[in-house]
């Protein structure tokens, strides 16, 4: 299953879908990955059935098979609990227009930023 996911992720069709998703104000590359992973799980008629979360956890256990795990460019940053948040570029969810994190904050009010990854 992991080899099939790797094959699909590297395909020209998927790479184009990644580009299109990132260029859109309404989708992102993670939407493409989710559909791809659902396809992989459905191609393998396993009993008992395997779900997408099991596929994702298998990828972390076998980075030697998974190109996207081996070449992950995400790294731990230096930001720690209690540090001031940096003002970062963002896109508005409603229309995709550019803004910054601090432009949406109200004065001296506390701001909570929640982020994560599903891949």
């Amino acid at each position: 299953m992991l080899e099939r996911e790797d094959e699909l992720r590297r395909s020209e069709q998927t790479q184009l879908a990644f580009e299109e998703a990132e260029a859109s104000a309404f989708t992102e590359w993670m939407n493409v990955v989710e559909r791809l992973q659902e396809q992989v799980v459905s191609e393998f008629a396993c009993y008992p059935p395997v779900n997408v979360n099991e596929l994702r956890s298998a990828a972390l256990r076998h980075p030697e098979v998974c190109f996207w795990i081996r070449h992950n460019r995400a790294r731990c940053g230096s930001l720690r609990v209690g540090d001031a948040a940096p003002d970062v570029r963002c896109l508005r969810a409603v229309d995709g227009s550019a803004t910054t994190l601090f432009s949406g904050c109200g004065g001296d009010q506390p701001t909570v930023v929640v982020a994560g990854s599903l891949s």
Side-chain angles (χ1 to χ4, degrees), residues 27-103:
T27 61
E28 60 174 278
W29 69 272
M30 288 301 303
N31 301 114
V32 176
V33 169
E34 185 172 16
R35 286 191 306 271
L36 182 145
Q37 290 173 330
E38 289 169 354
Q39 175 187 337
V40 169
V41 168
S42 70
E43 287 179 7
F44 289 80
C46 297
Y47 186 82
V50 174
N51 68 38
V52 171
N53 289 328
E54 290 171 298
L55 178 64
R56 291 174 183 157
S57 65
L60 294 172
R61 289 192 309 272
H62 298 284
E64 71 280 2
V65 177
C66 306
F67 177 85
W68 65 98
I69 300 290
R70 287 192 315 271
H71 299 284
N72 186 351
R73 291 185 277 174
R75 300 288 178 259
C76 290
S78 59
L79 197 60
R80 300 290 177 243
V81 173
D83 288 353
D87 194 15
V88 295
R89 292 180 298 143
C90 303
L91 296 176
R92 294 183 194 282
V94 294
D95 62 6
S97 63
T99 186
T100 66
L101 177 64
F102 292 160
S103 68

Side-chain angles (χ1 to χ4, degrees), residues 9-33 35:
R9 279 184 183 243
R10 293 180 187 223
S11 73
E12 186 175 335
Q13 179 182 359
T14 300
Q15 293 301 309
L16 289 172
F18 283 151
E19 288 179 27
E20 290 171 5
E22 286 299 309
S24 168
F26 304 103
T27 61
E28 60 174 278
W29 69 272
M30 288 301 303
N31 301 114
V32 176
V33 169
R35 286 191 306 271

